[in-house]
Amino acid sequence: MVLDPFTLLVITAALAAASALYLASEWSTVRERSLLLWSAGFGVIAVGSALALLRSSGFLFVGIWFSNGLLIVAHALFLAGVAAFRRARLPRTWWLLAVVWLAMLWLPEGPWWSKTMLGVQSLLIAGITVRAGLLLRPQGSAALSVGAAQLRFVLWAHGLFYLAKAASVVVPDAFINLASFRGVVIQVSLVEGVMAIMLLAMSMTGTERHRREERMAQIAARDPLTALDNRRALYLRAPALLRQASPASPCALLLMDIDNFKQVNDLHGHDAGDRLLITLSDLIRSTLPSGALAARLGGDEFVILLRDASAPAAQALGRELREAFSEQASTMFATPEPVSLSIGATLFDQPDAELSHWLKRADEALYASKRQGRDRMEIVLAKPAGGLH
């Protein structure tokens, strides 16, 4: 097959249409706005490439000016898609690009018409594409996914190509004829366009797919009722915090259980019990210190893992939770016996023990608080064992 301009444009239109359909099908499943914008961008490229074929039949306005304008619109949609992916807002000054392109209508025809048209178009696309790549820079300590990093690289490479393309038009001996697709610059641009479509489509798909997988992992790590971490997430995240335990910076684990929770379910229904669990989880979230972990182990059992915690600090947190929860529970539901919170805690400065070990110690303290009348907090020290309340 001879890769003449006509063949390359047909391939470009076909690839762009296929990419648009594929991203649209992904959007129908994921419903991410970025996928829809990227799909629209490829759809516009497919239409523009098809219209570009008309210039060889003498339809220069549609085949050159209009089709090139659609190429700029397509890249603007790519930029909008990246902004949507990054949850960023673009300034309205980007609409000035449309004004610049419309001003090209008044460009007088002459020897430099093709070069000027190609140069302005290339600069506009380069600016849009490089800006999209800049939006994909890592923010803070959060690393980019493989798909997003690939997309950033492809966008920058594509933008740099268009900058070089714009610079080439000022070369004195460069021959460019947009009407007949003549000139080395145009030939190279058509080949680059085919490659860019394939790379952009693959990178865009990988970018959103990774985000979808991350979202699914987050859902799997959350308790569906309280939105706190579940047991699985706690066991995955706790080791990093446990390793920070030292004599100079001890850790604390608080295990808590709702007293007389069964009465709420029996007298007011399980929906009432769920509301009570949500109330406790909201209180835990509002009092949780920075760097701490909180999770629902199951039923009415919750756990908090603190770093750099002293016995007085753990006691103060437990007291705040118990008092706030008892006050809210008493106003929410009437029960024969008060609904309160019992807490068992353990303090430790040993980084080599597993989470299950400290959960067992805290469980012993929790049962001690239950035996001694409930609505209290018992602390077991790593050495020697003792009780504080």
Side-chain angles (χ1 to χ4, degrees):
M1 176 185 294
V2 180
L3 293 180
D4 55 72
F6 184 89
T7 302
L8 287 171
L9 280 173
V10 171
I11 294 174
T12 300
L15 286 175
S19 300
L21 290 173
Y22 182 74
L23 289 169
S25 66
E26 287 284 305
W27 172 82
S28 66
T29 303
V30 182
R31 295 290 174 176
E32 282 288 346
R33 185 166 175 262
S34 55
L35 287 173
L36 191 60
L37 289 167
W38 290 334
S39 174
F42 282 116
V44 170
I45 288 178
V47 174
S49 298
L51 292 177
L53 296 170
L54 297 177
R55 71 181 69 177
S56 59
S57 300
F59 298 98
L60 299 184
F61 179 83
V62 174
I64 297 178
W65 187 89
F66 191 71
S67 63
N68 287 353
L70 289 181
L71 189 60
I72 297 172
V73 170
H75 285 81
L77 288 170
F78 291 160
L79 172 60
V82 172
F85 173 77
R86 298 296 280 183
R87 307 291 190 262
R89 297 192 64 169
L90 294 172
R92 294 183 178 179
T93 51
W94 281 96
W95 286 103
L96 291 175
L97 298 179
V99 176
V100 173
W101 187 248
L102 287 173
M104 297 293 293
L105 276 173
W106 307 101
L107 186 68
E109 292 190 23
W112 280 85
W113 186 87
S114 287
K115 283 192 173 185
T116 305
M117 174 71 75
L118 189 66
V120 172
Q121 175 205 11
S122 299
L123 285 175
L124 292 177
I125 292 177
I128 294 170
T129 310
V130 171
R131 180 69 180 105
L134 290 173
L135 282 177
L136 286 171
R137 287 179 300 179
Q139 297 177 350
S141 58
L144 287 176
S145 67
V146 175
Q150 288 176 346
L151 180 58
R152 180 183 60 168
F153 175 78
V154 173
L155 286 169
W156 278 354
H158 191 55
L160 290 175
F161 172 82
Y162 268 89
L163 279 176
K165 184 177 171 180
S168 69
V169 302
V170 299
V171 177
D173 295 331
F175 177 75
I176 298 172
N177 189 320
L178 292 178
S180 58
F181 295 111
R182 294 177 63 191
V184 175
V185 174
I186 297 177
Q187 298 285 336
V188 173
S189 181
L190 289 171
V191 174
E192 190 273 344
V194 173
M195 296 174 61
I197 286 175
M198 293 188 294
L199 293 174
L200 284 170
M202 289 188 295
S203 301
M204 289 170 177
T205 304
T207 298
E208 278 297 354
R209 186 168 293 162
H210 179 80
R211 171 173 284 181
R212 187 197 323 172
E213 292 171 355
E214 279 187 332
R215 188 180 297 112
M216 292 174 64
Q218 290 173 357
I219 293 173
R222 294 290 180 186
D223 174 64
L225 178 64
T226 64
L228 291 175
D229 284 351
N230 57 22
R231 179 186 291 269
R232 175 179 176 274
L234 177 67
Y235 271 86
L236 287 174
R237 298 177 61 190
L241 193 149
L242 294 177
R243 285 193 292 269
Q244 300 178 32
S246 68
S249 179
C251 291
L253 190 148
L254 281 64
L255 184 63
M256 58 198 72
D257 180 272
I258 299 177
D259 303 319
N260 301 312
F261 180 67
K262 188 174 183 298
Q263 292 185 16
V264 175
N265 283 331
D266 293 344
L267 296 174
H268 302 281
H270 288 279
D271 287 344
D274 289 346
R275 287 167 53 197
L276 196 62
L277 293 172
I278 294 172
T279 298
L280 177 56
S281 67
D282 290 342
L283 287 172
I284 291 173
R285 256 189 295 270
S286 65
T287 58
L288 198 66
S290 176
L293 297 180
R296 180 189 178 196
L297 293 183
D300 60 333
E301 201 169 48
F302 293 78
V303 66
I304 294 177
L305 189 57
L306 304 172
R307 65 176 184 180
D308 194 17
S310 62
Q315 283 182 314
L317 178 62
R319 185 184 307 112
E320 182 180 358
L321 280 172
R322 287 192 301 104
E323 292 175 354
F325 180 73
S326 295
E327 180 181 353
Q328 291 201 30
S330 64
T331 60
M332 291 173 66
F333 309 108
T335 54
E337 297 180 71
V339 175
S340 56
L341 199 62
S342 290
I343 303 176
T346 180
L347 268 70
F348 53 92
D349 56 15
Q350 306 167 32
D352 53 347
E354 295 183 356
L355 175 64
S356 56
H357 173 77
W358 302 121
L359 280 172
K360 183 178 179 182
R361 298 294 299 273
D363 193 49
E364 294 170 359
L366 176 60
Y367 275 100
S369 69
K370 293 279 189 180
R371 286 194 302 269
Q372 295 183 38
R374 301 179 179 180
D375 191 17
R376 60 189 293 118
M377 176 175 173
E378 291 291 325
I379 297 181
V380 174
L381 302 178
K383 25 165 174 173
L388 296 172
H389 61 272

